[in-house]
Amino acid sequence: MTGRPEEFPSVFQAHLRESAAGILERFPPPLRPEIYALSFRIWRIDYDDRHPYVAIGYNTESQYEREKQPEDPGEARWNYACWLLDGFEMLGNVPEDPAGSPLHEDEVKRLGIWYDGEHDLMKVGEDDEIDAKCDLLRLHFYDACIDLARHLHASGRIEKLFGRRLPVVVFDMDCPGWEIEATEAANPPELIEDFLAWQRAAEGA
């Protein structure tokens, strides 16, 4: 965890906050009444933790109706595997975010967690130093995304754009189960009661 107070964001965090607000503003106005949750889908280019991104999207009541099953309607509502996942704008150290990429790289280099050289999946687990830095790079980006969600709530940006508060479900498909911890950290408790209730029920099934 970075431990950086929300009121003193890093340059990269400030970029995420401003850019994410622009992304939310570009969500199609006709869909806004249908959106019941925002999604932060975290991934990385070629599994390289030096090049992470978050795709900022949403799920809609229409998508939920298409996916829900009578035996478990909560799965379609809260399991990201059933959600709209493609076509959303991305922020991070990726070509799609030319302003954010150098900011992210500069920040992690200053933190001492960057490493040079090619990323070779076949050699994962063979170099303890690189493996440790990969873990720190991933945690650093996780922290930045959770900070972003918290800021969007605290600033009132979500409520202003959508006319109501919405939960932000944060997930990484390479780390199943982490979405519970991440989404709890990213949201006021009252916004994710239904999400957590379904997760608890699914775990107990």
Side-chain angles (χ1 to χ4, degrees), residues 43-45 48-54 91-94 104 141:
W43 198 244
R44 52 210 57 85
I45 297 177
D48 188 339
D49 286 294
R50 292 171 296 182
H51 296 280
Y53 66 83
V54 57
L91 299 174
N93 193 355
V94 289
H104 174 268
F141 195 70

Side-chain angles (χ1 to χ4, degrees), residues 6 28 57 60 63 79 86 89 109 183 198:
E6 184 178 343
T60 63
Q63 175 69 8
N79 186 343
D86 298 322
E89 293 183 60
K109 282 181 176 178
T183 300
W198 177 76

Side-chain angles (χ1 to χ4, degrees), residues 94-111:
V94 289
E96 292 83 356
D97 186 6
S101 293
L103 298 178
H104 174 268
E105 187 167 327
D106 179 67
E107 181 163 301
V108 296
K109 282 181 176 178
R110 284 189 292 102
L111 291 170

